[in-house]
C-alpha cells in the first residue's frame, strides 16, 4: 500500500511538471555546445521568478545574490539587468558591498555601470563594515589587531571583543603613510561619536543580502562622514593587495596623482613587513604600477600646462592628510616620479629662486663677489618687476636665491677650512691667537646653524619627529660628530698638559670637516652620481673587511706563534699579527720569514729593546734560525694566494658589480637626492657662517620676541582656495581620462592583445556556427520524427491491408510478409550517477558525510556547501533534520536523542563506563547536551545509524603480504613491489572492505573480523595486532556520520613478508566466513581496487609505508 502511495505521489509530481513545460530546463552534461551547469541552474531560477509577477520582483535580489555568489557576471548582464527590471542604485548597495568584500571586480564594474555612486555607497557604517570584514590573512588586519590590543580604553573597560573603529584604522594608516600626513580619520569625541545600529556579523554570501540590506536601511539617513569616499575604498582595496578592485576604484578617484603616490607608499611599507615572499613581490609590483600611473597622469598634465602641473605637486591635499604629491613621492621613495623632467624643472626653478634659470653660473659668482654688478643687466630675473628695479629688492631677491646661498656657503666653507688648516699647521700657539679665536667664533656660528636645523619644524610635526628626521640624515650625524670632536679637542687644547693631544684631536677633526664637502658636491650632475656610487662601494668594503680579517688574523697569529717565543709587548704583538700581515698583502714581505736574510742586528734577542721586534727562534750556538722555514714559506704563499689574489680580485669584482648596478639608476638616485639639498638651502638663512649669526639674531627677534609666524617653505607647500582647487582637480580628472584612453589604445595595439582579440572573435564565430548547427540538427530531428511517424502510420495501414486481404482469402498463409517491429531510438543520453562521482581530492572537508540521502533510509540531509562546513562559519539558515535509526539492540546503544533528558547521564570527552567517548582529535564541543562533529556540519542531527553519540571507535586491521608469481618471486610493477591485502565482502554489497569495524565493549577484535575468522585463531590474531604498526588514527569520512555522531578508526598494519611464515599459513587455514553470503579473499593492491573510499586512503598509507606499488 505504501509503495502504491509513493507511485501516486510521483505520478502527480510528474503531471505538475509537465503542465508547466515552460519552466523545464534540460541539461546534458558533456554534450557539445552545452553550457555550464551553473548557467543552467541560474537560467532555470530566472524562469521561475519571471513566471509569477506577484512575487517575481522579490526574487530578483535573490537571483542577483546567487549570481554574485557564483561570480557569473555574464548571466547578470544578460538575464538580470534587462529592460524587465529597472534597478535603483540604492537597491544595488548591499550587493556592491558583497562584491567588494568577496573580491569580485567584474560585478563592481557592472554595478558602477548601472548607476551606483561610490559617494552614496560609503558611509561611516558601511566603511566600518568593510574594515571589520577584512581578509584575515592580510597584513593590515594583523596590524589593526595589534592596535586594538594596545588600545587604552580596552585595558580600562576590558570588553570581551575589541571593536574596530575608524581612528584605529587611521592610526595604522599613519604608520604606513608617514608622519608627514595627518590622521585621515580623527578620533571622534564621546558626544559626536557615530553610533553603529547593527552588530556586523561575519559576511557570507548566502546570508549577507539580509544583513547588508538592514545595514543600509539603518544608515540611509546617515551623512557620509568622509571628504573623499573614493579614497576610502581605494585604501581599503590597497591594504588587502587587491589589484583589480584598486584599479577600478582608482579610475573613479578625483585626486588621482596623490592617490597613486599614496598607494605606492602603503604597498612599499606593507611589503617590508610581509612574511610571504610572493605577496611581498606582488605588492612591490603593484606599487611600481601605481608609480607609473602617477607619472603617466603627471606627464599628461605637464604637456598640457607646465605651471598648473607644478601646482599639483605642491598643492596641499586635504583628503590625504594635508600633504602634497611631492611629499608623498619623497616619503615613498618614488625615484622614477621625482626624476621626471617636469618635477626636476620645478626643483630647478626653486633652486634658482627669483633668478632666471638660463643665467650662467659664472654670472652668479661674479655678482656674488661684486654685488654692484647687480645694477647692470648681467643677471636676469623671472619677474618683470625685479628686472626693472635696480635697488634693494633686486639685491634681496638675488641673495635669497638657494643657488646663491649654496655657493656663498661653499665659498666661505673653503675659507673656514683654510683658516682651520692654517691654525693647525702654522699658528697653533700655547695661547690662542686671533686667528684661532676667529676659528672658534666661526665654529660657534656652525653650532647655532645646526641647532636651528634641529628645531626647525615648518610642517608642525613635533619636536620628537623633527629630531628623529634630523638624525636620520647621514650628513647631519657627520656634522654633530665633527662639532663634538672639535669641542673635545678644544677642551684638551685649553689644558696646558694636554696641548699636543688637543692638536691631534683637532687634526682628526679637520678630516671630518673636509669629508663634509662631499655633501656639497652632490648638487653637481658630474660629481653627484659618483659620490652615490662611492657610498655604495663603502658598504661593499665594510663587508669585505670581515672576510679579509679572517685571513689576516689567522696568518698573523700562526706566523707570530711559529717565529716568536712568548712576546709580551702588546704593541709588537699587534704589529706582528695585524700590521705586518696587512702590509704583506701590498708587497712588504717580512725579511726573516724564510731565514735567508736572518740577522740578529735588526731584532732584540730578549725583547728588551722597545724599538726593535723580538728575534725569531734561533740556534744560539750557530746563530741560525731554528724555526721551520719550509712551513713559514708555504703559509706565506697560501696567504698571498688567497688574500692578495682571491680576496682583492673579489673586491674588485664587487666594485664592478656595484658600479654597473648603480650606474643604471644613478641619474634617478641623484635627481631624488637633489631635492634634499635644494630644500635645505631653500629654508636656510641667506648669510653664510660666520655672518649667519646675524640671520639667527633676526630670526630670534621675529619668532620669539615679535611672535611672527614663519612664511618660508611656501614655495614647496601651497594651500589653494576652494574654487581654484576644484578647477585644478577637474582639470586633472580630464587629463587622467586622456591617459587611461591612451593606455587602452596602446594595449589594443600590442601584438598579444591583437592575438587575443582575434581568438575571441574566432571563439564567437565557432559558438555561432555551433548554435546554427544545433538549430539545424534540431530541425532535422523534427523532420525525421515526422517522417518516422508517417512511416509508422503507413506500416500500420499496410499491416491492416495485409490482414484484411488475408482474412478475405487472398493469398497464402505462408506468403504473408512479416513487418519488422520499430526499433527504439538510439543516441539516448548516458545516465549520470552523482553518487559514483569522484570527490575532489583537494577538498579539506568531509564529503561522504554530506551525501544528501542518508544510507539505508529515506532521510535527506540539509545541503551544506564547502564553505559552510566549519562550525566557526556563520550559517543562519542551517536547519538540519533529525534522524536516529531504530536498533534491535536497544540495550547496547545510546537513546534516540530527540529529547535531552535521557542523554543527561552521558559523559562526553571521557570514559563513560565501557564506552570510550574520547576523540583522537582532542576534546570536542558539546552544545545543548549533544556533541558536535569536530569536522563540521553534515546536514543531519541525531545519532543516525551509529551506536553512540560522539565518536564511534572502530579498528581496521590491514593484513598484507607480497604478491608472488608461480616461482615464488615477488611481483613488481613500475619497479615497485606489489602487495596483496585481505578483504571481505558482505551480502548485497558492491564493494569490498577491510576486515574491520566496530567492537563490542571490552573486546579487542572487530565483529566483522570475527565473522570470517575461526574462534581458535582469535588469540593469535590479537597478538598480531599488538605487534602491528599503526598507520592512521582519527576521523573517518563515512556516509553514516551526523552532526552529533561520527566514526573514528585506528588502522593497524599486519604484514607477512615471508610466504612461508607460520602465522600466515595458520591465518589462511582459519579463514572461513560464518555467513554463506559473505566472501573473503586476498586482493591485489591497486588504486582501481573496488574498495570503499576511506579504506582506499588507509591502504594507500600502508603501500607508502612499505614502498609498494599503489
Amino acid at each position: 500500500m505504501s509503495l502504491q502511495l509513493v507511485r501516486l505521489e510521483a505520478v502527480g509530481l510528474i503531471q505538475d511538471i509537465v503542465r508547466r513545460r515552460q519552466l523545464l530546463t534540460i541539461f546534458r552534461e558533456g554534450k557539445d555546445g552545452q553550457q555550464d551547469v551553473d548557467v543552467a541552474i541560474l537560467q532555470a531560477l530566472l524562469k521561475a521568478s519571471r513566471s509569477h509577477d506577484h512575487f517575481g520582483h522579490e526574487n530578483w535580489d535573490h537571483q542577483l545574490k546567487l549570481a554574485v555568489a557564483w561570480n557569473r557576471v555574464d548571466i547578470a548582464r544578460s538575464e538580470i539587468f534587462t529592460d524587465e527590471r529597472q534597478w535603483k542604485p540604492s537597491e544595488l548597495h548591499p550587493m556592491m558591498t558583497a562584491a567588494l568584500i568577496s573580491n569580485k571586480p567584474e560585478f563592481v564594474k557592472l554595478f558602477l555601470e548601472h548607476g551606483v555612486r561610490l559617494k552614496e555607497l560609503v558611509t561611516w557604517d558601511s566603511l566600518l563594515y568593510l574594515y571589520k570584514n577584512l581578509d584575515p590573512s592580510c597584513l593590515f588586519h594583523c596590524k589593526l589587531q595589534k592596535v586594538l590590543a594596545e588600545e587604552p580604553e580596552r585595558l580600562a573597560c576590558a570588553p570581551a571583543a575589541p571593536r574596530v573603529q575608524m581612528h584605529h584604522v587611521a592610526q595604522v594608516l599613519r604608520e604606513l603613510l608617514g608622519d608627514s600626513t595627518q590622521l585621515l580619520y580623527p578620533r571622534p569625541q564621546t558626544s559626536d561619536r557615530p553610533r553603529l545600529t547593527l552588530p556586523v556579523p561575519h559576511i557570507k554570501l548566502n546570508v549577507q543580502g539580509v544583513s547588508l540590506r538592514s545595514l543600509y536601511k539603518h544608515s540611509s539617513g546617515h551623512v557620509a562622514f568622509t571628504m573623499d569616499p573614493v579614497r576610502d575604498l581605494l585604501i581599503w582595496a590597497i591594504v588587502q593587495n587587491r589589484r583589480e578592485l584598486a584599479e577600478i576604484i582608482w579610475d573613479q578617484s578625483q585626486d588621482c596623482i596623490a592617490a597613486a603616490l599614496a598607494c605606492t607608499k602603503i604597498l612599499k611599507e606593507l611589503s617590508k613587513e610581509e612574511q610571504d615572499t610572493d605577496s611581498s613581490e606582488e605588492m612591490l609590483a603593484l606599487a611600481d604600477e601605481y608609480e607609473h600611473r602617477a607619472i603617466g597622469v603627471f606627464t599628461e598634465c605637464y604637456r598640457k600646462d607646465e605651471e598648473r602641473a607644478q601646482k599639483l605637486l605642491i598643492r596641499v591635499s586635504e583628503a590625504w592628510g594635508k600633504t602634497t604629491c611631492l611629499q608623498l613621492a619623497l616619503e615613498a621613495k618614488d625615484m622614477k616620479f621625482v626624476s621626471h623632467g617636469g618635477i626636476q624643472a620645478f626643483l630647478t626653478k626653486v633652486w634658482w629662486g627669483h633668478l632666471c634659470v638660463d643665467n650662467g653660473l659664472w654670472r652668479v659668482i661674479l655678482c656674488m663677489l661684486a654685488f654692484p654688478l647687480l645694477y647692470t643687466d648681467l643677471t636676469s630675473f623671472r619677474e618683470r618687476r625685479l628686472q626693472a628695479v635696480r635697488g634693494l629688492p633686486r639685491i634681496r631677491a638675488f641673495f635669497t636665491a638657494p643657488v646663491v646661498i649654496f655657493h656663498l656657503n661653499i665659498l666661505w666653507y673653503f675659507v673656514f677650512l683654510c683658516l682651520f688648516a692654517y691654525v693647525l699647521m702654522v699658528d697653533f700657539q700655547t695661547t690662542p691667537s686671533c686667528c684661532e679665536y676667529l676659528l672658534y667664533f666661526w665654529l660657534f656660528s656652525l653650532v647655532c646653524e645646526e641647532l636651528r636645523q634641529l628645531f626647525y619644524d615648518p610642517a608642525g610635526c613635533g619636536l620628537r619627529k623633527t629630531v628623529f628626521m634630523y638624525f636620520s640624515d647621514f650628513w647631519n650625524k657627520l656634522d654633530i660628530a665633527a662639532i663634538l670632536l672639535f669641542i673635545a679637542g678644544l677642551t684638551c687644547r685649553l689644558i696646558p698638559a694636554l696641548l699636543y693631544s688637543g692638536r691631534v684631536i683637532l687634526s682628526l677633526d679637520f678630516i671630518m670637516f673636509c669629508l663634509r664637502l662631499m655633501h656639497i658636491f652632490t648638487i653637481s650632475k658630474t660629481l653627484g652620481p659618483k659620490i652615490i656610487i662611492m657610498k655604495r662601494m663603502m658598504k661593499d668594503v665594510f663587508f669585505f673587511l670581515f672576510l679579509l680579517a679572517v685571513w689576516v688574523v689567522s696568518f698573523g697569529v700562526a706566523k707570530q706563534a711559529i717565529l716568536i717565543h712568548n712576546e709580551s709587548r702588546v704593541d709588537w704583538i699587534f704589529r706582528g699579527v695585524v700590521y705586518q700581515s696587512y702590509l704583506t698583502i701590498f708587497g712588504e714581505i717580512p725579511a726573516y720569514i724564510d731565514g735567508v736574510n736572518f740577522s740578529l742586528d735588526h731584532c732584540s734577542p730578549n725583547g728588551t729593546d722597545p724599538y726593535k721586534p723580538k728575534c725569531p727562534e734561533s740556534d744560539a750556538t750557530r746563530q741560525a734560525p731554528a724555526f721551520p722555514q719550509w712551513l713559514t714559506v708555504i703559509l706565506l704563499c697560501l696567504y698571498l694566494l688567497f688574500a692578495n689574489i682571491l680576496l682583492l680580485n673579489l673586491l674588485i669584482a664587487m666594485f664592478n658589480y656595484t658600479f654597473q648596478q648603480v650606474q643604471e639608476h644613478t641619474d634617478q638616485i641623484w635627481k631624488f637626492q637633489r631635492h634634499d639639498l635644494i630644500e635645505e638651502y631653500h629654508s636656510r638663512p641667506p648669510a653664510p657662517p660666520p655672518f649667519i649669526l646675524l640671520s639667527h639674531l633676526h630670526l630670534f627677534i621675529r619668532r620669539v620676541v615679535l611672535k611672527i609666524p614663519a612664511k618660508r617653505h611656501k614655495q614647496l607647500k601651497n594651500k589653494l582656495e576652494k574654487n581654484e582647487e576644484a578647477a585644478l582637480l577637474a582639470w586633472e580628472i580630464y587629463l587622467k581620462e586622456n591617459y587611461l584612453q591612451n593606455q587602452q589604445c596602446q594595449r589594443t595595439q600590442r601584438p598579444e592583445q591583437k592575438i587575443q582579440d582575434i581568438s575571441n572573435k574566432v571563439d564567437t564565430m565557432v559558438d555561432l556556427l555551433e548554435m546554427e548547427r544545433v538549430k539545424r540538427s534540431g530541425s532535422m530531428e523534427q523532420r525525421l520524427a515526422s517522417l518516422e511517424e508517417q512511416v509508422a502510420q503507413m506500416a500500420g495501414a499496410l499491416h491492416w491491408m495485409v490482414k484484411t486481404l488475408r482474412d478475405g482469402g487472398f493469398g497464402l498463409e505462408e506468403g504473408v510478409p512479416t513487418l519488422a517491429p520499430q526499433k527504439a531510438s538510439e543516441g539516448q543520453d548516458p545516465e549520470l550517477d552523482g553518487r559514483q562521482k569522484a570527490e575532489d581530492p583537494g577538498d579539506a572537508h568531509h564529503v561522504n558525510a554530506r551525501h544528501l540521502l542518508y544510507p539505508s533510509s529515506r532521510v535527506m540531509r540539509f545541503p551544506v556547501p564547502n564553505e559552510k562546513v566549519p562550525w566557526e562559519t556563520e550559517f543562519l539558515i542551517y536547519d538540519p533534520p533529525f534522524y536516529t535509526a531504530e536498533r534491535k539492540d536497544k540495550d547496547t546503544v545510546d537513546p534516540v536523542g530527540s529529547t535531552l533528558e535521557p542523554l543527561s547521564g552521558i559523559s562526553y570527552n571521557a570514559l563513560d563506563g565501557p564506552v570510550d567517548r574520547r576523540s583522537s582529535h582532542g576534546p570536542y564541543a558539546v552544545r545543548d547536551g549533544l556533541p558536535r562533529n569536530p569536522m563540521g556540519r553534515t546536514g543531519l542531527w541525531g545519532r543516525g545509524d551509529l551506536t553512540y553519540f560522539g565518536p564511534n571507535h572502530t579498528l581496521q586491521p590491514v593484513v598484507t603480504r607480497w604478491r608472488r608469481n608461480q616461482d615464488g618471486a615477488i611481483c613488481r610493477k613500475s619497479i615497485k613491489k606489489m602487495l596483496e591485502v585481505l578483504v571481505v565482502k558482505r551480502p548485497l554489497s558492491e564493494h569490498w572492505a577491510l576486515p574491520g569495524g566496530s567492537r563490542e565493549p571490552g573486546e579487542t577484535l572487530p565483529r566483522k573480523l570475527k565473522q570470517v575468522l575461526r574462534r581458535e585463531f582469535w588469540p593469535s590474531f590479537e597478538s598480531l595486532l599488538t605487534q602491528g604498526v599503526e598507520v592512521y588514527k582519527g576521523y573517518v569520512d563515512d556516509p553514516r556520520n551526523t552532526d552529533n555522531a561520527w566514526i573514528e578508526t585506528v588502522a593497524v598494519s599486519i604484514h607477512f613478508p615471508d610466504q612461508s611464515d607460520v602465522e600466515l599459513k595458520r591465518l589462511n587455514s582459519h579463514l572461513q566466513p560464518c555467513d554463506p553470503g559473505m566472501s573473503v579473499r586476498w586482493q591485489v593492491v591497486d588504486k582501481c581496487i573496488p574498495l570503499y573510499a576511506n579504506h582506499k586512503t588507509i591502504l594507500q598509507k600502508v603501500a607508502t609505508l612499505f614502498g609498494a606499488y599503489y
Side-chain angles (χ1 to χ4, degrees), residues 392-450:
L392 185 62
R394 191 168 188 175
I395 297 176
R396 182 178 180 181
F398 176 81
F399 282 101
T400 54
V403 62
V404 178
I405 299 174
F406 173 75
H407 286 94
L408 277 175
N409 278 271
I410 287 180
L411 179 63
W412 286 98
Y413 194 77
F414 276 110
V415 175
F416 167 74
L417 291 178
C418 293
L419 178 62
F420 200 171
Y422 174 79
V423 170
L424 286 175
M425 296 186 298
V426 179
D427 196 15
F428 198 84
Q429 307 297 334
T430 305
T431 303
S433 62
C434 296
C435 293
E436 194 169 349
Y437 278 120
L438 178 60
L439 179 65
Y440 300 157
F441 178 74
W442 205 314
L443 184 77
F444 177 72
S445 66
L446 292 177
V447 172
C448 293
E449 174 58 20
E450 292 300 324

Side-chain angles (χ1 to χ4, degrees), residues 1021-1033:
F1021 198 89
E1022 291 178 359
S1023 62
L1024 291 175
L1025 280 176
T1026 58
Q1027 300 172 10
V1029 179
E1030 182 178 298
V1031 294
Y1032 178 76
K1033 182 178 182 180

Side-chain angles (χ1 to χ4, degrees), residues 594-606:
D594 56 354
V596 176
N597 299 322
F598 180 77
S599 176
L600 295 176
D601 298 335
H602 300 91
C603 59
S604 174
N606 298 323

